[in-house]
Amino acid sequence: MRIGELAAQAGMTKDTIRFYEKIGLVTGRRLANGYRDFPLETVPWLHYVRTAQTLGFSLAEIARHGEELRDAPDAAEALSALLKEKIQVIDARMVELAALRAELDARVGTGCPLRAAGQAD
């Protein structure tokens, strides 16, 4: 399928698909006339990419995990494992952000908010 049809079916722009092709997320072959031709399975793959981005996965993570999922004997189980890993990353980040918030809160209203709490002026 040509890039315009793919873009319409995937609900994204041709520029986005060109970018994804440039970074290796999708692969199309060139026809004799120079047009890109993508296989039909590219549409659900692009839907997966969009969903994964919405769930906080970077394009690099999606590309890396895409290969793992394609090669996995049970893709649903492999995907569940990836989601659990992402939850652990988010939980760790939430702990870091809570500590940062507490540090910022401790500095509010001090003479010089850039000094560490308890440090003399």
Side-chain angles (χ1 to χ4, degrees), residues 86-100:
K86 192 64 167 181
I87 290 168
Q88 290 174 342
V89 169
I90 291 169
D91 287 345
R93 185 67 178 136
M94 288 173 63
V95 169
E96 292 170 3
L97 289 171
L100 176 59

Side-chain angles (χ1 to χ4, degrees), residues 1-40:
M1 109 179 34
R2 293 194 10 212
I3 193 168
E5 184 181 353
L6 177 60
Q9 286 190 25
M12 54 185 59
T13 67
K14 291 186 278 186
D15 286 339
T16 299
I17 294 170
R18 287 184 192 105
F19 175 71
Y20 288 172
E21 185 178 31
K22 181 179 177 182
I23 64 171
L25 271 179
V26 296
T27 305
R29 64 182 180 94
R30 291 291 182 156
L31 300 174
N33 60 8
Y35 291 156
R36 290 172 173 88
D37 184 50
F38 295 92
L40 291 175

Side-chain angles (χ1 to χ4, degrees), residues 61-114:
E61 288 173 316
I62 294 167
R64 184 174 59 251
H65 297 317
E67 293 175 21
E68 294 171 18
L69 291 174
R70 279 191 287 276
D71 296 338
D74 184 347
E77 184 178 315
L79 184 56
S80 289
L82 292 174
L83 295 175
K84 286 178 184 177
E85 286 176 28
K86 192 64 167 181
I87 290 168
Q88 290 174 342
V89 169
I90 291 169
D91 287 345
R93 185 67 178 136
M94 288 173 63
V95 169
E96 292 170 3
L97 289 171
L100 176 59
R101 187 189 188 293
E103 179 68 25
L104 291 170
D105 194 45
R107 292 170 185 249
V108 170
T110 63
C112 179
L114 297 180

